[in-house]
Structures are given as structure tokens and as C-alpha cells.
Amino acid sequence: MFGSALPEVLRLYKLAVAGQPQPEFRWYYIVMSCVFIVFAGIFTVAWKPENPFKAIWVGVSFPVLISTMIQNAPSLH
């Protein structure tokens, strides 16, 4: 879960440092972020990484790993 939250924290930090107006936080944004983080945590547990650093890497890479898995999904034919 920690790894999947890191990109969002980095994005918000960059916005704050750049002096750009903070994004408007709505409930659906917060809920979807929490759902994303929980799914990434479950995915990481299922991946069974050998060490904590690899677990963080899987969490950070969650969107890329899932999109690659979906694109290369086996056909049902």
C-alpha cells in the first residue's frame, strides 16, 4: 500500500513546490485513491515479493503491471 501511495504524494508535493493551486479534493477522489491503494496492496501480497523493497516497487508499478497484464491477457478461444 505504501508503494502505491508514493506517486500520489510526489505529485501533490510537486504541485505545492511549483506554487500551483492545490487540486480540489472531493470525496470521490479520496475514495478512489483509497480503493486504488487497497487494490495495489492486495496485488502486492499476491505477488509475494521476496523483500520489502520489492514490495514497494510492486506497489509503485501497480498501474503499469496491471495494464501490461490486461493487454497480454490470454484469449478465451
Side-chain angles (χ1 to χ4, degrees), residues 29-76:
Y29 177 81
I30 294 169
V31 169
M32 289 308 295
S33 292
C34 290
V35 168
F36 174 79
I37 290 169
V38 168
F39 282 175
I42 293 169
F43 183 79
T44 302
V45 170
W47 192 278
K48 297 182 181 176
E50 296 85 28
N51 61 55
F53 292 111
K54 201 175 273 187
I56 292 171
W57 174 83
V58 172
V60 170
S61 304
F62 176 68
V64 175
L65 293 170
I66 292 299
S67 64
T68 301
M69 289 174 66
I70 289 172
Q71 290 174 357
N72 297 323
S75 65
L76 298 175

